[in-house]
Amino acid sequence: MATYPEYMVAPIRQDLVEAGFEQLMTPEEVDTVLNEQSGTVLVVVNSVCGCAAGKARPALKMAVASSEKKPNKLVTVFAGMETEAVAKVREHLLPYPPSSPAIALFKDGELVHMIERYHIEGNDMMRIVNNLQGAFEEYC
């Protein structure tokens, strides 16, 4: 069951969709994308919290838009909404504990870079952008 009414999260979802992210709604969609054995996937656990709005989403959009190298696929799930899809993403993120927001980069089906909520809350937006761009440069 969803924690928030859809009308409340729709514009938040749309923010990343307009930036090229695909919304994953089911555990099966998550497994299909994250088990891909070729290429890179950036997955975002989106959230209604202030650090997602003020830092994570703007940093994601800036990093993707301004990087020469970038992931092959951009996907997102929404914490508090599609709970089974979010739970499946979190299985793929182990051993990291659940975190919302969270940003993870997978290469050839393996988790290679992780940004947890405390990395987002404790940094300014440009540090997050630089972190993402460094990961894109290294892995994409």
Side-chain angles (χ1 to χ4, degrees), residues 1 24-28 30-31 77-78 80-91:
M1 185 167 165
L24 302 180
M25 305 299 277
T26 69
E28 295 78 20
V30 170
D31 272 344
V77 295
F78 205 104
M81 296 302 287
E82 295 74 38
T83 55
E84 292 176 356
V86 173
K88 184 54 74 173
V89 165
R90 289 180 171 155
E91 285 178 22

Side-chain angles (χ1 to χ4, degrees), residues 2 15 17 19 43-45 58 63 66 78-79 91 99 110 122 124-125 139:
D15 191 27
V17 169
V43 62
V44 179
V45 179
S66 64
F78 205 104
E91 285 178 22
S99 177
E110 298 294 323
D124 64 46
M125 189 187 73
Y139 297 110

Side-chain angles (χ1 to χ4, degrees), residues 10-11 15 17 19 30 33 41-42 51 58 68 86 89 92-94 98 106-107 110 120 123 130 133 136 139:
D15 191 27
V17 169
V30 170
V33 170
V41 178
L42 185 68
C51 65
E68 283 188 35
V86 173
V89 165
H92 286 272
L93 298 180
L94 290 172
F106 287 79
K107 182 173 183 172
E110 298 294 323
I120 296 165
N123 279 305
N130 292 336
Q133 289 175 328
F136 298 169
Y139 297 110

Side-chain angles (χ1 to χ4, degrees), residues 8 24 44 49 56-57 63 87 95 106 113 115-116 129 134:
M8 183 176 154
L24 302 180
V44 179
C49 74
R57 289 191 302 273
F106 287 79
H113 190 77
I115 300 175
E116 298 175 79
V129 170

Side-chain angles (χ1 to χ4, degrees), residues 19-37:
F21 286 79
E22 174 188 352
Q23 180 74 40
L24 302 180
M25 305 299 277
T26 69
E28 295 78 20
E29 290 174 339
V30 170
D31 272 344
T32 297
V33 170
L34 296 185
N35 287 331
E36 180 61 42
Q37 296 300 304

